[in-house]
């Protein structure tokens, strides 16, 4: 059960809801969920925020089935493909790399006793022809006895082990900043380094693809805009993951004035072809181009779905072997064992020759029996249309085992039932990793000092016999105190030319950024003017760029100030309440008008309400410091001597919410340009759809992800991902 907070209650907070460090640094918060460390919890929430963007209500699933599955009519978008590749990297690729490094360590004989035991067991089983039984028995032991896992395969930091030689190696980052990433890059919080690796992995793939088309290095390639399912008659704003503007959207935004990077590679290919053909256009090339592009993009959706299914299955297997609360500890393990026990018995008692003959016979039937298999499959499809779904692992062996997203949703729901919503993950500040970054030196080879630092690491195994790869004894930094050399940097002589080039590039980049800042500021100013004359798209972009010196809620502190009159104290208290974000009150705009989104759980019917800022500020200034929740709306209004209640402009019952979608007013291109040019945070929005089909667009929501998570977890709805 999450701990109880003793913080003073605000006028805009539900007295029944506990505040677990929503406005303080959540790094040092006591354990929030029993059985799960805060680092793991915040890592799951951070990845949940990035993975889940759009959900809608579905009927309650059957017993033992979980919701938040991927919808069958999920549509393709480049950002979804990118997110799935990143998730594949963080789960499957890193997991396979960890397994490969364990095998490399075992083959290296750097741990002679452990390798000798494996070697003896292998050849004894080979002599008695029970190798399959040995493998299957070892798998069963690893599944049911976690304590044997570390004994048979002692853990080691991934970046510190070479996948080729099995020796220790200096991480490519030059420092052991993280243990679960492949580079060892620094991280302020658990999981951030591998997340950054996954992002750069996808970017590198795109750069390689674009460079292949252009004949040189390029930027990540993206597909020309893909419409979403509900785009028709959509004048409510742009989705954060959209790559172009569809029908009904405005083309006067920053995103509309920018070229689509996905066209760069295609245009470069056309220019290259024209140059190679002496400027003569070949009509046949257009036919080939359209045919190939259409064929590829038709296959992108199933490819994206396959990547998601692979990552989901990997996560389910991990959560089955190491179940997290509140899921049962042995149920999934027993289902996995039910697969291996028959195979173990067959391997122990059936002769190897019979197994080989049976396997080869089955291969022949599959290869040559296509006509028969096709007819049988047609009959089965006709009588049992959904039989393939029944064979899926998630509906059989892994029934009831969650993916990481489903596990995160379950934990969010548990916290909501306890009236203690989980706080947002701690924000990574530059000072958190400043010292480690200063000591890092990303390079293929490193000076001997880096090897000495690696030897000081406390490994879970005997590392005395290990050699250390990636050390260059002729490295310029062999002696950090000679010739002006410093660890993690270059010599004074070698760095002067590079420093001059960097300064020159920095000046050019600064000039470009200054010009872009002026252009963006002008467009934002025009947006304000258009909003005043009633342009709906401009209204929805108001407040999307955070002010440069805006104080956060945690910085609002009234202690130690001189005594002021009562009226000034009320105004100050109202201002402090309006600066707080979460867990029940969030700043947001509706049609460009400032206000607050309030989550009311103490009322008879829990609801979401939006109150304009002006009447809310007046009510707060006139209050006596008592909580104003839940007296909301005409049906929930309470009248007494102190508070006349808050009249909400509209109220949406939590039980009436049928869809939630994260949106952004600038689109992905405008978001990148505005954030880079202004150096400010770009605040996104949220779309809420109720049972009557009304769509409520909240823009400039400072705690958008936290509001989304609370809405998904508070009600009794079952969801699916779109």
């Amino acid at each position: 059960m999450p701990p109880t907070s003793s913080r003073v209650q605000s006028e805009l907070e539900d007295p029944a809801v506990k505040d677990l460090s929503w406005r303080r640094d959540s790094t040092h918060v006591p354990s929030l969920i029993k059985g799960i460390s805060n680092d793991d919890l915040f890592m799951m929430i951070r990845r949940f925020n990035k993975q889940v963007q759009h959900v809608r209500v579905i009927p309650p699933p059957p017993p033992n089935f979980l919701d938040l599955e991927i919808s069958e009519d999920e549509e393709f978008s480049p950002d979804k493909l990118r997110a799935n590749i990143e998730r594949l990297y963080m789960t499957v690729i890193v997991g396979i790399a960890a397994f490969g490094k364990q095998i490399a360590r075992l083959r290296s004989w750097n741990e002679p006793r452990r390798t000798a035991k494996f070697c003896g067991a292998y050849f004894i089983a080979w002599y008695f022809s029970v190798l399959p039984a040995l493998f299957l028995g070892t798998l069963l032991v690893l599944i049911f006895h976690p304590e044997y896992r570390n004994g048979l395969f002692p853990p080691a930091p991934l970046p510190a082990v070479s996948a080729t030689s099995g020796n220790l190696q200096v991480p490519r980052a030059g420092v052991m900043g993280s243990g679960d990433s492949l580079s060892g890059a620094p991280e302020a919080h658990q999981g951030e380094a591998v997340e950054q690796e996954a992002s750069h992995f996808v970017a590198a793939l795109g750069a390689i693809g674009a460079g292949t088309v252009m004949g040189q290095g390029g930027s990540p390639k993206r597909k020309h805009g893909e419409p979403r399912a509900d785009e028709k008659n959509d004048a409510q704003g742009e989705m954060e993951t959209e790559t172009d503007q569809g029908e009904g959207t405005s083309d006067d935004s920053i995103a509309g004035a920018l070229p689509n990077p996905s066209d760069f590679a295609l245009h470069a290919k056309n220019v290259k072809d024209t140059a190679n053909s002496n400027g003569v256009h070949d009509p046949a090339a257009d036919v080939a181009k359209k045919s190939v592009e259409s064929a590829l993009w038709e296959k992108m959706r199933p490819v994206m779905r396959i990547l998601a299914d692979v990552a989901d299955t990997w996560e389910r297997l991990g959560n089955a072997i190491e179940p997290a609360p509140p899921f049962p500890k042995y149920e999934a393990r027993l289902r996995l064992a039910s697969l291996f026990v028959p195979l173990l018995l067959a391997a122990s008692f059936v002769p190897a020759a019979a197994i080989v003959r049976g396997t080869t016979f089955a291969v022949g039937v599959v290869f040559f029996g296509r006509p028969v298999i096709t007819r049988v499959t047609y009959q089965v499809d006709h009588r049992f249309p959904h039989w393939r779904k029944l064979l899926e692992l998630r509906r059989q062996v892994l029934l009831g085992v969650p993916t990481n997203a489903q596990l995160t949703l379950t934990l969010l729901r548990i916290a909501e039932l306890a009236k203690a919503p989980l706080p947002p993950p701690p924000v990574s500040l530059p000072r958190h990793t400043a010292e480690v970054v200063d000591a890092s030196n990303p390079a293929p080879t490193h000076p001997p000092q880096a090897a000495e630092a690696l030897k000081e690491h406390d490994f879970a195994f005997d590392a005395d016999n290990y050699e250390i790869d990636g050390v260059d004894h002729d490295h310029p930094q062999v002696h950090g105190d000679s010739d002006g050399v410093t660890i993690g940097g270059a010599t004074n002589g070698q760095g002067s030319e590079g420093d001059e080039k960097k300064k020159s590039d920095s000046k050019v980049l600064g000039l470009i950024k200054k010009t872009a800042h002026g252009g963006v500021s002008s467009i934002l100013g025009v947006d304000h003017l258009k909003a005043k004359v009633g342009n709906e798209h401009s209204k929805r972009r108001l407040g999307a760029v955070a002010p440069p010196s805006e104080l956060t809620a945690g910085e609002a502190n009234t202690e130690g100030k001189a005594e002021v009159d009562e009226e000034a104290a009320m105004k100050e208290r109202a201002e402090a309440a309006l600066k707080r974000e979460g867990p029940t009150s969030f700043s947001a705009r509706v049609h460009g008008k400032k206000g607050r989104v309030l989550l009311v759980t103490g009322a008879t019917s829990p609801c979401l309400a939006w109150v304009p800022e002006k009447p809310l500020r007046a009510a707060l200034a006139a209050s006596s410091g008592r909580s104003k929740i839940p007296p909301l709306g005409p049906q929930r209004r309470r009248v007494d001597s102190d508070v006349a209640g808050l009249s909400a402009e509209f109220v949406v019952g939590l039980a009436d919410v049928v869809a939630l979608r994260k949106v952004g007013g600038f689109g992905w291109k405008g978001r990148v340009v505005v954030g880079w040019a202004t150096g400010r945070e770009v605040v996104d929005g949220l779309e809420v759809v109720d049972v009557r089909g009304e769509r409520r667009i909240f823009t400039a929501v400072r705690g958008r992800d936290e509001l989304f998570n609370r809405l998904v977890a508070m009600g009794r709805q079952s969801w699916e991902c779109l």
Side-chain angles (χ1 to χ4, degrees):
M1 181 69 65
T4 304
S5 175
S6 59
R7 193 185 52 79
V8 179
Q9 195 71 40
S10 167
E11 290 90 336
L12 291 181
E13 293 176 1
D14 193 336
V17 175
K18 306 179 184 69
D19 181 355
L20 306 178
S21 300
W22 276 69
R23 278 170 291 280
R24 297 196 304 270
D25 185 8
S26 53
T27 305
H28 306 292
V29 177
S31 179
L32 295 170
I33 299 291
K34 185 178 180 180
I36 300 179
S37 67
N38 285 356
D39 288 337
D40 290 335
L41 179 62
F42 289 139
M43 179 181 65
M44 289 191 295
I45 294 176
R46 192 169 57 246
R47 296 178 183 180
F48 179 88
N49 292 342
K50 189 171 185 179
Q51 177 184 349
V52 182
Q53 300 287 325
H54 188 188
V55 296
R56 71 180 177 192
V57 168
I58 58 172
N64 296 328
F65 283 79
L66 302 174
D67 63 332
L68 208 66
E69 296 283 358
I70 300 176
S71 175
E72 293 294 335
D73 56 352
E74 178 195 27
E75 292 196 358
F76 172 82
S77 73
D79 279 341
K80 287 183 181 179
L81 179 61
R82 180 188 181 96
N84 281 311
I85 297 177
E86 290 181 4
R87 192 157 70 100
L88 190 76
Y89 178 92
M90 292 185 290
T91 55
V92 180
I93 295 178
V94 173
I96 293 176
F99 175 76
K101 294 191 175 189
Q102 283 285 357
I103 299 302
R105 285 173 53 198
L106 198 59
R107 296 184 60 201
S108 68
W109 285 88
N110 287 323
E111 300 171 67
R113 291 186 178 181
R114 186 167 73 98
T115 305
K117 292 177 182 178
F118 274 88
C119 180
Y122 179 90
F123 283 104
I124 290 174
W126 171 83
Y127 182 81
F128 291 102
S129 300
V130 290
L131 272 178
L134 175 64
F135 290 146
L136 294 171
T138 303
L139 283 176
L140 289 175
V141 170
L142 294 177
I143 290 173
F144 281 101
H145 296 282
E147 62 274 10
Y148 285 99
R149 298 172 195 166
N150 292 340
L152 293 174
F153 301 98
L158 291 183
V161 178
S162 171
T164 55
S165 65
N167 295 326
L168 294 179
Q169 66 176 6
V170 179
R172 293 189 66 88
V175 65
M176 186 71 73
S178 56
D180 58 352
S181 65
L182 298 182
S183 65
E187 62 182 4
H189 308 290
Q190 180 176 327
E192 287 183 341
V194 71
E195 292 166 12
Q196 290 295 327
E197 279 185 1
S199 178
H200 293 301
F201 173 77
V202 179
L205 289 180
I208 292 172
T212 302
V213 175
M214 298 179 184
Q216 59 182 9
S219 58
K221 180 180 178 181
R222 298 170 59 94
K223 178 185 178 293
H224 187 70
E226 185 76 10
R228 61 174 186 266
D230 57 348
E231 189 178 25
K232 294 182 178 180
N233 300 323
D234 180 12
Q236 301 295 328
E238 297 177 51
M239 224 182 138
E240 186 181 42
T241 55
E242 284 186 332
T243 58
D244 69 348
Q245 292 187 325
E247 180 182 357
T249 58
S250 174
D251 59 353
D252 59 356
S253 66
I254 296 175
L258 296 174
N260 197 331
S262 63
D263 293 334
F264 290 163
L266 298 178
H267 291 320
K269 177 66 168 60
N270 294 336
V271 172
K272 186 177 180 181
D273 291 343
T274 303
N276 292 336
S277 60
N278 297 324
V280 179
H281 178 69
D282 184 8
D286 294 337
V287 178
K289 172 186 173 183
K290 294 179 180 179
S291 301
V292 172
E293 286 185 8
S294 61
L296 284 177
W297 288 115
E298 284 176 2
K299 300 299 181 183
M300 281 297 100
R301 181 178 178 274
V303 167
M304 182 183 71
R305 185 59 183 264
I306 290 173
L307 295 178
D309 289 341
V310 170
D312 286 346
T313 302
W314 189 277
E315 291 176 356
R316 286 191 175 97
L317 287 172
N319 291 329
I321 296 174
E322 293 185 5
F327 291 91
K329 191 173 183 180
Y330 292 104
E331 183 177 345
R333 297 181 186 179
L334 289 172
R335 288 202 191 98
L336 287 176
S338 66
L339 287 180
F340 294 113
V341 169
L343 296 177
L344 177 61
L345 295 176
S348 302
F349 299 104
V350 178
I355 295 178
V356 172
R357 286 178 61 83
T359 303
T360 53
F361 176 78
V363 171
V365 170
V366 172
F367 188 85
F368 296 104
R370 180 175 179 179
V372 177
I373 295 174
T374 302
R375 293 177 183 178
V376 172
T377 304
Y378 174 79
Q379 293 296 330
V380 175
D381 286 339
H382 181 69
R383 297 184 180 184
F384 308 100
H386 304 293
W387 68 274
R388 286 186 175 87
K389 292 184 178 180
L390 299 178
L391 298 181
E392 295 177 357
L393 289 177
R394 63 190 177 100
R395 300 178 186 273
Q396 296 294 333
V397 180
L398 299 178
L399 178 64
V401 180
T403 63
N404 290 344
Q406 291 172 329
L407 174 59
T408 305
L409 178 59
T410 301
L411 298 178
L412 290 171
R413 285 169 171 167
I414 291 175
E416 291 294 341
L417 289 175
K419 299 294 184 181
L422 296 176
V427 179
S428 298
L429 300 177
R431 59 182 174 82
H432 289 162
T433 55
E435 296 180 359
V436 185
V437 171
D438 291 340
S440 64
N441 181 26
T445 59
H446 303 274
Q449 293 94 324
E452 295 173 1
L454 182 64
K455 290 180 180 178
E456 298 177 358
H457 186 82
D458 185 18
F459 292 99
F461 54 90
D462 186 7
D464 295 338
N465 296 326
Y466 276 84
E467 298 179 0
I468 298 180
D469 297 339
V471 178
D472 183 7
H473 294 281
D474 296 329
H475 198 279
Q477 300 176 4
V478 170
H479 301 288
D481 56 349
S482 63
D483 299 328
V485 178
T486 58
I487 302 300
T491 60
N492 294 338
Q494 295 176 343
S496 58
E497 184 178 351
D499 292 342
E500 292 179 1
K501 187 176 185 301
K502 288 182 179 179
K503 289 180 180 179
S504 177
D505 293 343
S506 178
K507 290 181 180 179
V508 174
L509 187 61
L511 179 62
I512 296 175
K513 185 174 182 179
K514 185 176 180 180
T515 304
H517 182 274
V520 169
S521 299
S522 300
I523 294 177
L524 294 178
V526 173
D527 255 355
H528 280 273
L529 295 177
K530 289 183 177 180
K532 290 182 179 180
V533 298
N535 186 288
E536 191 63 30
H537 296 284
S538 298
K539 287 182 179 180
R540 294 192 178 96
R541 289 192 290 269
L542 292 179
V545 181
S549 59
E550 184 174 0
L551 293 176
T552 62
E555 296 171 338
N557 188 1
T558 59
E559 296 179 0
K561 292 186 178 181
E563 293 185 1
V564 294
D565 56 20
E566 183 177 356
E567 182 179 358
M570 290 182 178
K571 291 183 178 180
E572 190 174 4
R573 185 169 58 249
E575 191 68 26
L578 292 174
K579 287 182 178 293
R580 294 189 175 99
E581 299 292 339
T584 58
S585 173
F586 299 88
S587 61
R589 291 176 182 249
V590 174
H591 301 296
K593 187 189 302 183
K594 290 183 178 181
R596 304 287 293 189
V597 175
L598 304 178
L599 296 179
V600 184
T601 58
T604 305
S605 299
C607 62
L608 173 148
W610 186 77
V611 183
E613 183 176 302
K614 289 185 178 180
L616 179 60
R617 187 183 296 273
L620 290 174
S623 70
S624 59
R626 296 170 55 182
S627 175
K628 290 188 171 295
I629 295 180
L632 286 169
Q635 298 178 353
R636 298 176 176 85
R637 187 171 299 174
R638 181 186 65 187
V639 180
D640 55 34
S641 57
D642 296 324
V643 180
L646 302 176
S647 180
E649 186 164 304
F650 61 83
V651 177
V652 180
L654 293 183
D656 297 334
V657 177
V658 297
L660 296 168
R661 180 166 64 99
K662 298 178 181 179
V663 297
F666 288 112
W668 72 273
K669 294 179 292 183
R671 178 185 176 89
V672 172
V673 172
V674 172
W676 174 74
T678 63
R680 306 180 193 174
E681 177 188 4
V682 178
V683 188
D684 296 311
L686 181 67
E687 177 190 75
V688 180
V689 183
D690 60 20
V691 292
R692 295 176 296 276
E694 294 188 47
R695 304 167 63 185
R696 312 283 188 177
I697 299 290
F698 301 98
T699 58
V701 185
R702 295 300 301 269
R704 192 271 304 273
D705 289 335
E706 289 71 39
L707 176 60
F708 179 89
N709 293 349
R710 289 213 64 194
L711 290 175
V712 169
M714 287 174 64
R716 297 183 179 180
Q717 297 96 324
S718 297
W719 307 97
E720 68 175 357
C721 290
L722 289 172

